[in-house]
Amino acid sequence: MSPRTERRSGLMKWLCRFLKGPKPGEPSRRRPQVAAGEGEGALWHQRPARPKIDPPRNENEELVDRAIAEPLAEAVKPPREKTHRGEDSNDDEDLTRAVQDSLNMNPYTPYNPYPPSQAQPIGHRVCGGCKHEIGRGHYLSCMGIYWHPQCFRCRSCGHLIRETEFTLLGTDSYHKLCYKELHHPKCDVCLQFIPTNGSGLIEYRAHPFWGQKYCPSHERDRTPRCCSCEKMEVQPRNTKYMSLGDGRGLCMECLGSAVMDTSECQPLYHSIRDYYEGMDMRLDQQIPVLLVERQALNEAMEGESKGPHHMPETRGLCLSEERTVSSILRRPRIGGNRLLGMRTRPQKLTRRCEVTAILVLYGLPRLLTGSILAHELMHGWLRLKGYRNLNAEVEEGICQVMSYLWLESEILPSSSRHAQPSSSSSSSSYPATSSEKGGISHTGKKLGEFFMHQIANDTSTAYGDGFRTAYAAVNKYGLRQTLSHIRLTGGFPV
C-alpha cells in the first residue's frame, strides 16, 4: 500500500470515529444544558416542548460527505501517471484542510423557529399598578404594560383579576363585567344593556330633545309613549302612564297641568286673545272654543270640505262649517291609571262668520293646549281679515310662527326673546305672561322648550319649511310688515 493510500485510510478511520461519538466510558464533549427559567432574563411562562425532529442538513454536513466520498472514489479509480511532482501532497493538503474546516464548525446546530427575545433590562419594567420597579421575579405583561401579580386588579371593583379574559382601557385593567357595567350603554326604558345587532355593533334609538336612549325593539313592542312629551314609559312600570281612553297615554308630569274640559280651557283662550290684541291683532268676533275627544276631532276633520292642511296627528281644528260636535262638559276623575266619569254634551255650531269654532284635543298640558289655540286662532284671524287662497306653506307657516312666539313669551323673559312680534308696538304693551308672573315651574319650562323644539325642527313641507321661512321673514321685517306682504303677494318677503 502506498504512503498516500495509508494516510487517506487513517484519516477516514479517524473521521468515522469522530462522527460516531465517544465510546462508552469516555467523557462527553457536549455543552451542558441550561434549565429553562434559570438565569437572568428567564420568562415566567415557558414555551411548550417541541417534538424532536431530524435537523436539516447544512453546508457543513455536505463538506464532510464530500470529504469522505472523494477519497473513496479515488481508491476505486485505476492508477494514473504522475505528471507533476508533488501532486499527491497537494491533494492530501486539500483533504486535510476541508476536514479541519468542517471540524471547526458545529454541523449539528439545531433549527430554532423562535427568534431570541430581547429581554428588557431590570429596572425598565415599571408596574402599571403600584408604579414601582418590578425587578426579579414573576410578573404579568400585556401590550407593553407590566404588573406585579398582586397588582393586577380591576380599576372598578378593586379585586384581583384572575380570569383569562379581561379588558384594558389605556393602562387601566377591568373585569369584563365591570367594564360592561361602566361603559356599555343601558336602555332608559327596560334598564337592561342595549344588545348588539347582527353586525356586532351596539344599536339604539335616542330622543332628539330628551336624549332618552332605548332599544330599537321598543318601537315595535307597544311600549307606551306619552302623547305630549313623547317620552317612553320606563319599565318595570312603577308608575304607569295615564290612559286617556282613546289610545293615548299621558305621563305623570304632563298630567299635572293637563286641560281636561271646555270650562278649564276658557281662561287660557282669553289670555291668548289678549296676547293677540297686544300685537295689534284684535279679533272682534267671539269664536267658540271646545275641548273634544279624539274621535270627535277626527270626524270634524273629515267633514271639513276646505281649509288648511292638517298634520297626521291632528290636535286642533278651525271649523268653517256648521256641525254638531260632542264636547267635554266635566273633567273626568282619575281611577288607577285611567280616567273615569267623563261627561260629554253634543253642541250644535252655527256659522255666523267665516269661522264656526275652534276644536282642541282634551287631556294635553297647558302649554301644548295654548300653542294649539294660538295656531288655530291665527287661522281664524286670517279668514276674518280676508286673507284668501293662501297656499299651505304660507298659511301653516305663519300660524306656526304665532304658536312659537306665544310659547316663547310664556317660558322666556322678554329680554331673551328671539324676535319682536311687531315693529309698531313695544314688548311693554304685551300682557303679563306666566314666566313674568313667576307661575311656571322648571318642569313646565322644559316642556315648553320641547314644544318649541318640535315646531322648529318639523320635517314636513307645510309646517316645517313654512315655519322656518315665515320666522326668518318676521325676524327681518317684523310681523305687521310680513302680514301686509302676504296680503299683497300671497307669499313671504325675502
Side-chain angles (χ1 to χ4, degrees), residues 102-158:
S102 65
L103 295 178
N104 291 336
M105 301 180 185
N106 183 10
Y108 297 103
T109 303
Y111 171 69
N112 182 12
Y114 301 99
S117 58
Q118 298 293 332
Q120 200 168 12
I122 298 176
H124 287 203
R125 300 192 191 103
V126 178
C127 177
C130 65
K131 308 302 181 184
H132 291 97
E133 293 183 2
I134 292 179
R136 300 180 183 273
H138 294 169
Y139 62 89
L140 301 173
S141 66
C142 179
M143 298 178 67
I145 306 174
Y146 304 90
W147 294 272
H148 294 108
Q150 67 274 15
C151 295
F152 192 51
R153 297 178 178 270
C154 177
R155 179 74 173 179
S156 176
C157 67

Side-chain angles (χ1 to χ4, degrees), residues 30 48 53 66 137 151 162 186 197 240 255 292 314 323 332 346-347 362 400-401 407 434 451 470 481:
R30 294 184 178 179
I53 58 175
R66 187 166 61 251
C151 295
R162 304 182 185 276
K186 280 188 176 181
N197 58 16
K240 293 185 178 181
L255 181 64
V292 297
T314 302
R323 295 186 60 85
Q347 186 170 347
Y362 92 100
Q400 287 289 77
V401 167
L407 284 170
S434 297
F451 298 144
Q481 189 172 347

Side-chain angles (χ1 to χ4, degrees), residues 67-333:
I68 296 173
E70 287 180 355
L72 294 177
E74 289 293 334
V76 298
K77 285 183 179 181
R80 57 179 180 173
E81 295 181 0
K82 299 180 182 180
T83 56
H84 293 86
R85 186 178 180 181
E87 185 178 4
D88 293 338
S89 61
N90 290 338
D91 292 341
D92 293 341
E93 290 176 1
D94 294 340
L95 177 61
T96 303
R97 187 181 301 108
V99 173
Q100 185 65 35
D101 291 342
S102 65
L103 295 178
N104 291 336
M105 301 180 185
N106 183 10
Y108 297 103
T109 303
Y111 171 69
N112 182 12
Y114 301 99
S117 58
Q118 298 293 332
Q120 200 168 12
I122 298 176
H124 287 203
R125 300 192 191 103
V126 178
C127 177
C130 65
K131 308 302 181 184
H132 291 97
E133 293 183 2
I134 292 179
R136 300 180 183 273
H138 294 169
Y139 62 89
L140 301 173
S141 66
C142 179
M143 298 178 67
I145 306 174
Y146 304 90
W147 294 272
H148 294 108
Q150 67 274 15
C151 295
F152 192 51
R153 297 178 178 270
C154 177
R155 179 74 173 179
S156 176
C157 67
H159 292 89
L160 286 174
I161 300 178
R162 304 182 185 276
E163 295 81 1
T164 56
E165 293 185 0
F166 58 91
T167 301
L168 193 64
L169 181 62
T171 59
D172 298 330
S173 52
Y174 296 87
H175 293 109
K176 291 192 70 176
L177 291 180
C178 293
Y179 182 84
K180 185 176 182 179
E181 189 72 28
L182 284 174
H183 299 284
H184 193 109
K186 280 188 176 181
C187 175
D188 294 333
V189 176
C190 64
L191 307 182
Q192 302 297 319
F193 291 113
I194 297 176
T196 56
N197 58 16
S199 302
L201 303 176
I202 300 173
E203 180 183 358
Y204 62 88
R205 304 287 186 267
H207 194 278
F209 183 83
W210 304 110
Q212 186 184 40
K213 300 188 294 293
Y214 54 91
C215 304
S217 60
H218 295 316
E219 294 183 341
R220 306 181 298 270
D221 61 5
R222 299 180 180 273
T223 299
R225 186 192 295 266
C226 179
C227 65
S228 171
C229 66
E230 298 183 350
K231 291 180 182 177
M232 283 189 170
E233 185 179 71
V234 178
Q235 304 168 3
R237 304 172 182 178
N238 297 326
T239 55
K240 293 185 178 181
Y241 281 12
M242 180 65 60
S243 174
L244 299 179
D246 53 6
R248 294 181 296 147
L250 203 63
C251 69
M252 297 298 106
E253 293 179 351
C254 294
L255 181 64
S257 63
V259 182
M260 289 295 186
D261 59 35
T262 300
S263 61
E264 285 185 13
C265 187
Q266 299 307 311
L268 179 61
Y269 170 56
H270 290 297
S271 69
I272 295 174
R273 287 180 64 101
D274 293 339
Y275 179 78
Y276 269 68
E277 290 182 7
M279 295 187 294
D280 197 20
M281 297 174 64
R282 182 180 177 85
L283 286 166
D284 297 326
Q285 291 84 355
Q286 291 295 325
I287 304 174
V289 172
L290 305 177
L291 249 64
V292 297
E293 296 179 279
R294 192 179 193 179
Q295 182 179 356
L297 184 63
N298 291 336
E299 291 174 355
M301 184 181 64
E302 292 174 0
E304 192 76 359
S305 60
K306 60 181 180 178
H309 293 257
H310 303 287
M311 299 179 69
E313 175 63 27
T314 302
R315 295 171 172 173
L317 181 64
C318 184
L319 281 177
S320 59
E321 297 181 353
E322 293 187 353
R323 295 186 60 85
T324 299
V325 177
S326 179
S327 64
I328 298 177
L329 181 62
R330 189 180 68 181
R331 178 187 181 94
R333 67 179 185 274

Side-chain angles (χ1 to χ4, degrees), residues 429-459:
S429 64
Y430 303 155
T433 61
S434 297
S435 60
E436 292 167 352
K437 294 177 183 178
I440 189 169
S441 64
H442 174 73
T443 302
K445 183 177 180 181
K446 289 297 295 183
L447 197 58
E449 291 174 353
F450 166 66
F451 298 144
M452 293 174 64
H453 170 84
Q454 277 188 314
I455 295 174
N457 294 276
D458 195 298
T459 58

